[in-house]
């Protein structure tokens, strides 16, 4: 199975946000190269919110290019076997935390957002990753900073998409 095939299966199985899910599926149907960065009409990305439920907090990265507090994530790569694996790879690389595990149940949310040229859209498939109890974060060269935020602090530092991802993650954890 290819990463493209996996993405289609994941999206078909995702029951929330039906209009956005269908837009993602339509994009992939129209753009067989829509999994990767060279597709300038837009491409799927995969991300994961790193969460520490025992301490009631999430780890956000201050994105180097955007200057915004975001979840860990980025572009799918040729070696990624699944969209889920891409999210876990990105979360591990950007957080420096070994032993992350994705919250079961597939994606938490989808978020489509415009990005600067030459591309037009990121179609993000968002997961949540559980940090191990002894997690120690380490900043990557893709970040200006990494910081843990209490759940109720996120709305004060991050945009609506991150706030909704936190809300969706907390609903899954309940």
């Amino acid at each position: 199975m290819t990463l493209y095939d996996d993405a289609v299966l994941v999206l078909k199985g995702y029951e929330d946000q039906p209009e956005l899910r269908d837009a993602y599926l339509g994009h992939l149907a129209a753009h067989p190269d829509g999994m990767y960065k060279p597709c300038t009409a837009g491409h799927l990305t995969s991300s994961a919110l790193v969460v520490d439920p025992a301490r009631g907090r999430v780890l956000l990265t201050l994105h180097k290019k955007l200057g915004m507090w975001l979840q860990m994530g980025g572009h799918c790569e040729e070696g990624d076997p699944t969209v889920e694996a891409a999210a876990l790879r990105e979360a591990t690389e950007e957080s420096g935390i070994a032993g992350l595990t994705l919250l079961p149940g597939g994606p938490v949310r989808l978020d489509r957002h415009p990005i600067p040229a030459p591309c037009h859209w990121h179609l993000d498939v968002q997961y949540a990753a559980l940090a191990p109890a002894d997690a120690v974060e380490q900043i990557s060269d893709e970040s200006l900073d990494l910081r843990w935020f209490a759940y109720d602090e996120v709305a004060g530092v991050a945009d609506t998409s991150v706030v909704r991802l936190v809300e969706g993650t907390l609903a899954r954890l309940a």
Side-chain angles (χ1 to χ4, degrees), residues 83-95:
V83 178
E84 191 173 272
L88 188 57
R89 175 186 52 74
E90 285 287 341
T92 301
E93 289 174 359
E94 293 184 14
S95 71

Side-chain angles (χ1 to χ4, degrees), residues 14 16-17 49 51 103-104 106-110 126-128 160-174:
Y14 180 72
D16 296 330
Q17 301 174 270
L49 178 71
V51 61
L103 194 62
V108 175
R109 290 195 50 82
L110 303 177
Q126 301 177 324
Y127 293 85
T160 305
S161 71
V162 178
V163 172
R164 287 185 181 148
L165 179 56
V166 171
E167 291 169 350
T169 300
L170 294 178
R172 287 256 184 107
L173 291 170

Side-chain angles (χ1 to χ4, degrees), residues 106-131:
V108 175
R109 290 195 50 82
L110 303 177
D111 182 69
R112 179 177 57 188
H113 48 271
I115 58 169
C119 190
H120 299 290
W121 294 97
H122 273 176
L123 298 103
D124 197 28
V125 181
Q126 301 177 324
Y127 293 85
L130 300 172

Side-chain angles (χ1 to χ4, degrees), residues 27-109:
H27 177 80
L28 288 176
H31 302 281
D33 61 341
M35 291 300 303
Y36 302 107
K37 190 175 182 178
C39 182
T40 57
H43 48 268
L44 260 68
T45 55
S46 195
S47 66
L49 178 71
V50 175
V51 61
D52 179 355
R55 295 184 180 152
R57 61 187 189 162
V58 298
L59 183 66
L60 299 180
T61 179
L62 185 56
H63 194 278
K64 190 178 265 186
K65 291 181 184 176
L66 300 175
M68 298 170 61
W69 288 103
L70 300 170
Q71 74 276 11
M72 316 300 151
H75 295 102
C76 296
E77 296 178 1
E78 293 287 342
D80 292 326
T82 63
V83 178
E84 191 173 272
L88 188 57
R89 175 186 52 74
E90 285 287 341
T92 301
E93 289 174 359
E94 293 184 14
S95 71
I97 298 174
L100 294 173
T101 57
L102 291 183
L103 194 62
V108 175
R109 290 195 50 82

